[in-house]
Amino acid sequence: MTSHHTTQDSPVSDGPASDGRGRTVAALLWAGHLRLLLIFWAIVVVIFVALGVGQAAFGQLDRSLWEIAGLGAAKYFPFALAIMITPLNLSVYVAHGVTRREFFTGAALFAGLLGLVFAVAFTLGFAVEHLAYTAAGLPEGFTGPHLFTSGGQVHLVLVEAVLTFTAHIASGWLIGSGYYRFGGWLGTLFLVPALVPALGTDVLLGTGWFRAVGTAVGLGQLAMPAGIALSVLLIAAAVAANQPLTRSVAIRRGPTTGQTQWIFP
Amino acid sequence: MSLSVHLRDLSLRYGETTALDGLSLELAGGKVYGLLGRNGSGKTSLLSVLAARRRASAGTVLVDGEDPFENTRIMRRTCFIRDEVDAYEQTSVRQALRFAARLRPHWDEDYAHHLVDTFKLPVKKKVSALSRGMKSALGITLGLACRAPLTIFDESYLGMDAPSRYAFYDELLSDYAENPRTIILSTHLIEEVNSLFEEIVILDNGRLVLHEEVDTLRARGVSVTGPAEVVDRFTAGLTVLGEQRLGNTKAVTVYERFDDARRRAARAAGLELGAVPVQDLFVHLTRQPEAQR
């Protein structure tokens, strides 16, 4: 501890929830995850560069590598982090005098920030790759369907990235809250509705692997503005659903982190 | 800066299990309370309701006149330290203290430093790497330094050695004297801790057995020693906890309030009167069928 600040030296606020408590929770959640995120993105960049060097040295560089390294796997990392938001954090915050409502606000801010940071990183990666491929005269060659046809379409890349990442984060958060609220068996059943935001956004935007399922069951492709608007509504509903799930939940007994009692107490 | 507690017909159920059963209790602010009870008596359940970890199934719970559940004002002024430390296992002790400092409005950083030194907490070590006793010491540091107007310790000393426990008791008393607040201590180490208490609350099977000032409780337990036939005659009709005999000398422990007249009568009969440990009284009170209480 470097500071010797004594909070009693200054007037103490015990006031209502509107004094930025949610922002404090979000800041603490962000600080708690930052090192992990930096390590993750360092690994992604290393893989991206290694793939590029390998492909350039031993094959033909005729497809987007960032599509694989940046989006293909990367969306499952914030998804996994989001699963742990409620089970690993709620009890610690309540133990430190934070209400479930304040925690929800902070977690929602954190989830939004997490999605935005991943989306911006993803977009930047595509922009860099686009510049590099254009300079080298290489085709970007996307394998999956996207809202964009070139990494240089920054606005479309960003929209798809924001919606894809936040949808996966919303689903992950909902899964974790479901297990915390309902326990192992009902929580597992709750996976079905909880996955709707992540998979539904693929269908609504016509992107990602689950789009094929939508096509197979006869769902037609929506116009882009409608798909975007419905995806936003779906994600917002999923985020909001965490509030009724946790607003009166009992704080489970047991060690708070790195344990599984929250699933099968 | 201390919070009162008012409970009326409080019940808490987990499925088929009734943890608290129509509990009514009044705790004035600014005192140190001892919460005693056998395993499964409902102590932790009661404390969990006060700390808003659980919502009561029925009845009224008021802390400082308000329902504590999801109550911003009450929750940030209440601190509940369990037998497991509420900190991230993968953070260091230093980070755990910083985390508390960000969220606790009454946090005293200098006092936290003092407690770290007192308990010799390794601030760079991860919480997961701490011994059982050190985790408890961290919990106690978090509980004392947050200076919450309602501070609750539930078996928070588990794994701590005797010198560390006594250091905790000393810190608790001295800090309470400087910063009065409502403190509830749940414990099984009754003889070791009861000198800290101003009042004692005993639960059994989720119900209130007793709530008294500790001096009053102590005065109820009396040992009567003397010639066996005189002791038997004198204690006839009284609630006898136990007895020992050596030759013609008999020592009987009774649970009864002895007024001055009865004490004089005992002495006049050649009997010696002595005090009974609080723990013995607790054992008696939680062992007897309710009809005899």
Side-chain angles (χ1 to χ4, degrees), chain A residues 83-84 87 175-176 178-180 182-188 252 259-265:
Chain A
I83 289 175
M84 312 313 281
I175 288 168
Y179 272 113
Y180 196 81
F182 301 124
W185 310 119
L186 281 177
T188 301
R252 293 183 185 277
Q259 307 293 325
T260 54
Q261 282 101 327
W262 55 273
I263 296 181
F264 297 100

Side-chain angles (χ1 to χ4, degrees), chain A residues 1 5 7 89 100 257, chain B residues 70 83 88-89 94 107 109:
Chain A
M1 286 175 288
H5 170 68
T7 52
N89 297 289
R100 293 157 182 79
T257 58
Chain B
E70 284 297 273
D83 53 356
Y88 293 104
E89 293 271 331
R94 188 197 309 271
W107 182 260
E109 189 80 10

Side-chain angles (χ1 to χ4, degrees), chain A residues 99-111:
Chain A
T99 65
R100 293 157 182 79
R101 186 176 57 253
E102 290 166 339
F103 178 78
F104 167 76
T105 304
L109 290 171
F110 167 70

Side-chain angles (χ1 to χ4, degrees), chain B residues 80-101:
Chain B
F80 178 28
I81 302 299
R82 305 182 296 133
D83 53 356
E84 296 282 350
V85 64
D86 281 300
Y88 293 104
E89 293 271 331
Q90 294 308 311
T91 60
S92 67
V93 169
R94 188 197 309 271
Q95 288 170 318
L97 295 172
R98 281 183 181 158
F99 184 85

Side-chain angles (χ1 to χ4, degrees), chain B residues 1-246:
Chain B
M1 196 179 67
S2 48
L3 305 184
S4 62
V5 172
H6 167 95
L7 308 175
R8 181 66 52 202
D9 297 326
L10 171 64
S11 292
L12 181 66
R13 287 181 286 277
Y14 311 115
E16 300 293 310
T17 305
T18 300
L20 299 172
D21 188 7
L23 183 64
S24 295
L25 181 65
E26 297 278 349
L27 304 181
K31 291 186 177 180
V32 180
Y33 293 92
L35 179 61
L36 311 181
R38 300 179 66 181
N39 293 331
S41 61
K43 301 187 300 295
T44 300
S45 295
L46 168 60
L47 300 177
S48 296
V49 171
L50 294 181
R53 290 176 68 89
R54 288 186 175 274
R55 174 172 260 168
S57 306
T60 303
V61 186
L62 298 176
V63 175
D64 202 31
E66 298 177 24
D67 183 349
F69 194 82
E70 284 297 273
N71 184 318
T72 302
R73 191 179 77 84
I74 300 301
M75 281 184 69
R76 73 180 56 180
R77 301 173 89 202
T78 301
C79 179
F80 178 28
I81 302 299
R82 305 182 296 133
D83 53 356
E84 296 282 350
V85 64
D86 281 300
Y88 293 104
E89 293 271 331
Q90 294 308 311
T91 60
S92 67
V93 169
R94 188 197 309 271
Q95 288 170 318
L97 295 172
R98 281 183 181 158
F99 184 85
R102 287 288 300 274
L103 292 170
R104 284 297 184 185
H106 302 274
W107 182 260
D108 188 324
E109 189 80 10
D110 292 335
Y111 187 47
H113 278 286
H114 167 74
L115 292 169
V116 164
D117 292 340
T118 299
F119 294 119
K120 297 182 172 55
L121 275 168
V123 292
K124 292 180 181 173
K125 231 177 182 180
K126 282 185 177 178
V127 172
S128 60
L130 295 179
S131 66
R132 186 72 192 78
M134 278 297 171
K135 283 184 181 176
S136 292
L138 174 59
I140 284 166
T141 299
L142 293 170
L144 288 174
C146 79
R147 295 259 169 78
L150 173 58
T151 302
I152 300 167
F153 293 101
D154 184 13
E155 303 281 356
S156 307
Y157 49 73
L158 286 183
M160 289 172 76
D161 55 27
S164 298
R165 291 200 305 274
Y166 279 92
F168 165 45
Y169 307 146
D170 290 343
E171 288 296 338
L172 182 77
L173 275 186
S174 61
D175 195 55
Y176 169 70
E178 288 180 25
N179 302 278
R181 51 203 193 262
T182 306
I183 295 175
I184 303 175
L185 278 166
S186 168
T187 182
H188 288 298
L189 301 179
I190 299 170
E191 280 313 301
E192 189 172 297
V193 188
N194 78 75
S195 61
L196 301 177
F197 305 150
E198 293 172 68
E199 296 183 14
I200 284 181
V201 175
I202 298 178
L203 299 185
D204 199 29
N205 291 319
R207 295 179 190 163
L208 181 67
V209 173
L210 175 146
H211 173 204
E212 292 224 64
E213 290 186 358
V214 70
D215 291 339
T216 306
L217 180 63
R218 285 197 191 102
R220 279 180 182 266
V222 181
S223 69
V224 182
T225 308
E229 65 277 12
V230 182
V231 170
D232 286 342
R233 198 164 51 242
F234 187 80
T235 57
L238 303 181
T239 306
V240 175
L241 303 185
E243 57 182 56
Q244 289 180 310
R245 187 164 183 155
L246 183 62

